[in-house]
Amino acid sequence: MNGFTSWPPEVTPDQLEQLTLLATTYALSHSLLYLPPHGDIPPPPAPASAIHAPLSLFPTPVPRELFVRARRIQRAYNVLYARVAIDNKFLDEIMGAGGVADVDEFTGELWRAWKGLREEGPVQPLHLGLFRSDYLLHQPTSEAEISLKQVEFNTISSSFGALSQQVSGLHSYLQASTGYFGASPLLTPNNLPLNETVKGLVAGLAEAHNAYGVPDAQILFVVQANERNIFDQRLLEYELLLSHGIHIIRRTLPELEHSMKLSPARALLLPSGASSASPLSEIAVVYYRAGYTPTDYPTPAIYATRANLERSRAIQCPSLALQLAGGKKIQQVLTMSGVLERYLSREEGADEVRESWVAMWGLDDEDLPIPGAKPTNVIHVDDVKEPKGTREARIRADTLVLKPQREGGGNNIYRAAILPFLDTLPAPERRAWIAMQLIRPPAAVEGYLVRSGDAQTGPVKGRVVSELGIFGWTLFGRETNGQESVREAEVGFLVRTKGEGVDEGGVAAGFSVLDSVLLVD
């Protein structure tokens, strides 16, 4: 594995300059783009400029067998989360009253909306999930075998599918145009896997559109205002139209509060144009690229708008149930003995799914067999009246991350920050937090990271950590006879690379760059 740990290969300053020029111009030519930051000044209604997305000059080495495994077990994860999302009793127990909903206001609002809709009687039995399962390579010591461990499973607004395809194309282009100057025998076309995530994700949206059964119905993209990552969304929009003839409407949640209508049969109707006087269009699928963070719901009326969207006959991507199923607490409870096996058999991949997990527990847990490394902190907590889960988090703080029920990056508590955080965390709120063993990526891997605006200094070389994401979609529900219906597929991948020592990993949040896979044996 020497070729892996000594990455990237050596190139001359002139070669590095040429690679940077080719990469940035390719990015600008192929929609590998962001809108520029606008600060406190509202952006113009029609974008006048764009910058290339942050990117890596060299693809990231990933052991071939682990990449194949990650893609294979995505099919099992697709089925697993579909089944969890239709288990109302399980979701109520973990995320509902008496659980997370009582101490996490955001989760509580979503759960209460879902509970109210169930009591009314839903009119749409189908759910659509566009998923992304994120992993890190794990090598706790330099002698240990490298394994694949899951960071999290995303059930809402699983972004960067389109841009991940573009950056895979960028690295293939650099290889075809320069051969990377012969810098490494690993940099061959056979080691750069094809990435068709746009086609795959759109296939899931189109499958749901077809299941809705109204050919001229449209798909609603629920988006955030002033979205900088708009090109990642637009590439999906273009594929829907050009390959499937499906039109989309983009609206924010506040815009929907005033423009959406429900027909007597609960069809979701929206003005097809910017004016409220525009003809109304029926919506087949509601695809959320917003709604995953409390800031997306500034008023109670916005929560009511989200509920009204789900009250309609339109297929939700995700439904409130599926969004709740993606909570960190669900991820942790699934690791407990026997819970995963309620939803997934060994023949369906349960063993490989369980093997992809690290140790996790709730801060309020008492029954707590914790595998893994011995604790590193010498802390005497025998007299502290705390649940065992919290005491273990104190003892093992140097090896942990604490996670709340949030998406989008910037929410987790790491290592040295854990002890002071636990000192101030109100006791009832412990049930909304999980402790997770830190994954230890292979050491001494480096990369060249390029961000727009760094032209004066060129690409930045440094030690890096890369996170692999695998995309999938699932269309599922219960038939009228109570039988389970699941259609699903694995559809592509994403790599995000960040500097070593940077805990958070979001590209949109500014921590990471977009990358792709180089298969190594």
Side-chain angles (χ1 to χ4, degrees), residues 215-236:
D216 62 350
Q218 301 191 23
I219 291 179
L220 169 64
F221 281 32
V222 181
V223 298
Q224 293 174 329
N226 304 327
E227 173 65 71
R228 292 185 59 213
N229 192 26
I230 189 172
F231 300 97
D232 187 55
Q233 301 170 12
R234 290 291 189 183
L235 289 170
L236 300 178

Side-chain angles (χ1 to χ4, degrees), residues 226-368:
N226 304 327
E227 173 65 71
R228 292 185 59 213
N229 192 26
I230 189 172
F231 300 97
D232 187 55
Q233 301 170 12
R234 290 291 189 183
L235 289 170
L236 300 178
E237 174 187 341
Y238 304 151
E239 178 72 10
L240 277 166
L241 181 62
L242 297 177
S243 295
H244 299 275
I246 299 172
H247 292 260
I248 75 109
I249 295 174
R250 296 174 57 88
R251 295 287 187 273
T252 66
L253 283 167
E255 288 170 341
L256 289 166
E257 177 189 353
H258 303 290
S259 62
M260 64 172 288
K261 300 183 186 329
L262 293 182
S263 76
R266 292 208 213 173
L268 176 59
L269 305 175
L270 283 173
S272 55
S275 168
S276 59
S278 302
L280 294 178
S281 294
E282 185 169 355
I283 300 299
V285 180
V286 181
Y287 172 42
Y288 291 93
R289 293 296 293 258
Y292 55 84
T293 175
T295 57
D296 287 335
Y297 302 86
T299 67
I302 302 301
Y303 282 107
T305 298
R306 174 69 188 275
N308 276 332
L309 290 167
E310 188 134 351
R311 187 171 280 113
S312 75
R313 289 198 296 114
I315 297 171
Q316 306 291 302
C317 178
S319 61
L320 286 165
L322 185 53
Q323 182 171 348
L324 291 168
K328 303 299 187 296
K329 189 64 181 177
I330 297 294
Q331 181 187 12
Q332 175 256 311
V333 171
L334 286 171
T335 69
M336 297 171 65
S337 178
V339 178
L340 169 66
E341 289 72 18
R342 298 182 203 170
Y343 302 102
L344 209 62
S345 68
R346 173 171 292 180
E347 292 73 23
E348 292 172 314
D351 290 346
E352 280 196 318
V353 167
R354 191 171 283 283
E355 188 180 342
S356 71
W357 293 335
V358 295
M360 283 175 262
W361 64 90
L363 292 184
D364 62 333
D365 285 354
E366 289 289 0
D367 184 17
L368 204 66

Side-chain angles (χ1 to χ4, degrees), residues 412-433:
N412 300 333
I413 310 296
Y414 291 86
R415 301 183 190 88
I418 288 177
L419 294 181
F421 172 77
L422 291 176
D423 288 340
T424 60
L425 181 67
E429 294 183 20
R430 292 172 186 146
R431 75 183 74 169
W433 286 81

Side-chain angles (χ1 to χ4, degrees), residues 1-21:
M1 197 61 74
N2 289 338
F4 179 83
T5 56
S6 62
W7 201 254
E10 293 294 328
V11 290
T12 69
D14 286 346
Q15 291 167 345
L16 187 61
E17 182 179 352
Q18 186 173 348
L19 287 172
T20 304
L21 175 63

Side-chain angles (χ1 to χ4, degrees), residues 56 62 119 188-189 196 227 230 234 242 255 298-299 359 376 388 431 434 461 496:
S56 173
V62 176
E119 292 170 351
T188 67
E196 295 185 311
E227 173 65 71
I230 189 172
R234 290 291 189 183
L242 297 177
E255 288 170 341
T299 67
T376 57
K388 186 176 181 182
R431 75 183 74 169
I434 71 165
K461 184 180 183 182
R496 291 170 295 172

